[in-house]
Amino acid sequence: MTKRIDVEFQSEGFTIRGWLYVGDESRKSPAVVLAGGWCYVREIVMPTYAQAFAEAGINALVFDYRNLGVSDGDKPQHLDPWQQIRDYENAISFLERHELCDPDRLGVWGISYSGGHALILAATDPRVKSIVSQIPVIDGYENMRRAHGTMEYRALWDLILEDRKLRYEKPGERLYLPHATEDSASEVSSWPFPETVRTFMSIKNSTAPLYQNKSTVESVDLLLNYDVGPFVKRIYNTPTLMIVAEGDDLTLWDLEIGAFNQIPCTNKKLEVLPHTSHMTLYSDQSKVEKAAGFARDWFVQTLKP
């Protein structure tokens, strides 16, 4: 096991807490920032990736966004993608100044919602020299329309409008909904897939007790306006690996492949994991380790530890 140390940094007035997996204590090494998807806390699969990177000589910082897990925040379980991207940016600023990190060899890894964030960071932050985007959310609007279907999508919008009314009439109050549910016909959730709630509740019970199966309704309101499309066209020279699960109908592998094809950078690679679903990249350790190997090899190739 490599050395793991507790760290914290500031992001827009909030204390963000995480773990730094040390690649080499004797010199400045490359470093990669990792953060999670919808409602994730740092214990959810990310330590497997961070450990693989550190064993290859690459520092790896895993952190909880504001409002989640052990980090501070003013809106519990609230997921604002642009705040999360700023937390990533401030994690990069923290690593730039760390004595064990080479500020000229910094990378970003993201999965699901943060897989989209990684693509945006590749387009908007020149400090990022390489990224891995795994099963990313591409277009929140299209994703929600297709994931919920017509009747459930109507119910979702009814809840969003109810929340908007509440936030106007009683500032500071907000509605919540489950991350996922067993019965999407009778309970509105953000991601209406029974395998999602089963997988994450299993992870909660085994390794991630701070995970909560809920977010603010406003989080979904914000997701509906999230789209990496305008950003992937701006990834000209940031090496990009996208890892996609074959047939993924949660974050929609056709949208992921379409986004990959729009990246103009010539140093890009697409890995499609066969016989793999979105959720088996959390529940099946062999698949997690295979994806971690792809990501590790990409960062070794591009950040050169």
Side-chain angles (χ1 to χ4, degrees), residues 247-291:
D248 183 354
D249 59 358
L250 271 71
T251 52
L252 309 177
W253 77 317
D254 57 311
L255 296 186
E256 293 164 346
I257 293 171
F260 176 82
N261 288 336
Q262 292 183 67
I263 298 171
C265 179
T266 57
N267 191 4
K268 64 177 182 177
K269 186 176 183 181
L270 176 68
E271 292 282 4
V272 179
L273 295 171
H275 314 296
T276 304
S277 70
H278 192 97
M279 294 315 303
T280 54
L281 282 169
Y282 302 93
S283 61
D284 186 330
Q285 188 61 24
S286 67
K287 295 184 185 298
V288 175
E289 290 174 358
K290 185 171 185 178

Side-chain angles (χ1 to χ4, degrees), residues 180-182 193-205 279:
T181 181
E182 287 275 3
F193 303 103
E195 65 267 35
T196 297
V197 69
R198 293 168 195 160
T199 299
F200 281 108
M201 293 309 293
S202 176
I203 293 172
K204 175 182 175 69
N205 292 333
M279 294 315 303

Side-chain angles (χ1 to χ4, degrees), residues 130-296:
S130 179
I131 71 155
V132 172
S133 172
Q134 187 165 313
I135 50 175
V137 173
I138 300 299
D139 179 337
Y141 172 76
E142 181 70 15
N143 213 151
M144 289 293 96
R145 284 289 300 267
R146 285 167 57 175
H148 286 271
T150 299
M151 298 310 297
E152 291 176 11
Y153 189 65
R154 289 179 184 178
L156 179 67
W157 261 108
D158 288 343
L159 187 60
I160 289 171
L161 294 177
E162 183 182 350
D163 181 67
R164 288 183 182 179
K165 179 180 178 181
L166 175 67
R167 287 188 280 119
Y168 177 78
E169 294 176 346
K170 298 180 180 179
E173 294 190 25
R174 59 202 65 245
L175 298 177
Y176 287 81
L177 81 170
H179 173 184
T181 181
E182 287 275 3
D183 185 1
S184 60
S186 62
E187 182 179 36
V188 179
S189 67
S190 303
W191 298 88
F193 303 103
E195 65 267 35
T196 297
V197 69
R198 293 168 195 160
T199 299
F200 281 108
M201 293 309 293
S202 176
I203 293 172
K204 175 182 175 69
N205 292 333
S206 62
T207 57
L210 293 181
Y211 165 77
Q212 296 185 51
N213 181 38
K214 69 175 185 178
S215 74
T216 63
V217 172
E218 186 184 3
S219 301
V220 183
D221 201 347
L222 294 167
L223 172 62
L224 287 165
N225 292 317
Y226 180 85
D227 184 357
V228 306
F231 296 95
V232 294
K233 299 172 186 177
R234 294 160 53 181
I235 304 175
Y236 293 106
N237 55 9
T238 304
T240 298
L241 170 65
M242 186 181 290
I243 300 174
V244 171
E246 181 184 38
D248 183 354
D249 59 358
L250 271 71
T251 52
L252 309 177
W253 77 317
D254 57 311
L255 296 186
E256 293 164 346
I257 293 171
F260 176 82
N261 288 336
Q262 292 183 67
I263 298 171
C265 179
T266 57
N267 191 4
K268 64 177 182 177
K269 186 176 183 181
L270 176 68
E271 292 282 4
V272 179
L273 295 171
H275 314 296
T276 304
S277 70
H278 192 97
M279 294 315 303
T280 54
L281 282 169
Y282 302 93
S283 61
D284 186 330
Q285 188 61 24
S286 67
K287 295 184 185 298
V288 175
E289 290 174 358
K290 185 171 185 178
F294 286 144
R296 175 202 60 217

Side-chain angles (χ1 to χ4, degrees), residues 82-151:
W82 293 103
Q83 290 179 350
Q84 292 182 347
I85 288 166
R86 287 194 288 275
D87 290 346
Y88 259 111
E89 291 170 345
N90 287 313
I92 293 167
S93 295
F94 168 77
L95 290 177
E96 277 188 308
R97 293 158 175 77
H98 197 281
E99 61 182 4
L100 294 177
C101 299
D102 182 347
D104 295 321
R105 290 183 291 166
L106 300 177
V108 164
W109 174 97
I111 186 169
S112 200
Y113 208 8
S114 66
H117 299 353
L119 293 166
I120 292 171
L121 286 158
T124 60
D125 195 327
R127 298 174 298 175
V128 176
K129 298 303 191 289
S130 179
I131 71 155
V132 172
S133 172
Q134 187 165 313
I135 50 175
V137 173
I138 300 299
D139 179 337
Y141 172 76
E142 181 70 15
N143 213 151
M144 289 293 96
R145 284 289 300 267
R146 285 167 57 175
H148 286 271
T150 299
M151 298 310 297

